[in-house]
Amino acid sequence: MSLVKYYGCYDYNEEWYLIELLLDVPASEILWEDMYVPEQGVKREDQQVPYMEQYLSEDGTAKLCETYDVPKKQSPSSRVAFFLYKVSSKTLFTPYGELPLTADGKIPRRLDGLIDFDDP
């Protein structure tokens, strides 16, 4: 049984994807360090990982806490949003399965203006 209940990959801008996941995992158990985008010739410790992780309500219409913080109130599932820089690799490796990095379209209206982004 997949722990990924929902996956969305959106074009945030020309350089970044916005990824949205609904995981059947409490927020405190998400293995962020085990999510990465493999790139040929790049050491594992230097490969891209999620950027600006944000926890959302189950319906994805509100933020539960500040960016990078973990919600104090835990539930059995977690909806999260984060960014990935667009690179040649088209797969996000996670402990919950491999997910395609192909944009599904525009960012849903409910996320527009809700998600924080700082260009590094």
Side-chain angles (χ1 to χ4, degrees), residues 9-67:
C9 177
Y10 312 109
D11 276 319
Y12 184 74
N13 61 28
E14 294 209 9
E15 296 180 328
W16 294 91
Y17 289 121
L18 173 61
I19 306 298
E20 183 181 19
L21 288 172
L22 176 57
L23 300 170
D24 201 14
V25 176
S28 62
E29 295 179 19
I30 294 177
L31 302 171
W32 291 108
E33 66 277 5
D34 291 338
M35 294 187 199
Y36 64 97
V37 179
E39 291 184 76
Q40 190 172 13
V42 177
K43 295 179 191 175
R44 169 61 185 96
E45 63 267 15
D46 295 330
Q47 292 174 350
Q48 185 180 186
V49 296
Y51 173 64
M52 294 197 73
E53 306 88 17
Q54 300 168 62
Y55 293 88
L56 307 175
S57 59
E58 192 168 335
D59 64 0
T61 61
K63 284 182 65 171
L64 297 178
C65 55
E66 294 296 319
T67 303

Side-chain angles (χ1 to χ4, degrees), residues 6-12 18-20 56 59-61 79 81 104-115:
Y6 173 80
Y7 172 69
C9 177
Y10 312 109
D11 276 319
Y12 184 74
L18 173 61
I19 306 298
E20 183 181 19
L56 307 175
D59 64 0
T61 61
R79 192 173 201 123
D104 298 332
K106 292 184 178 184
I107 298 170
R109 184 170 285 202
R110 65 184 163 73
L111 295 179
D112 194 25
L114 178 68
I115 304 299

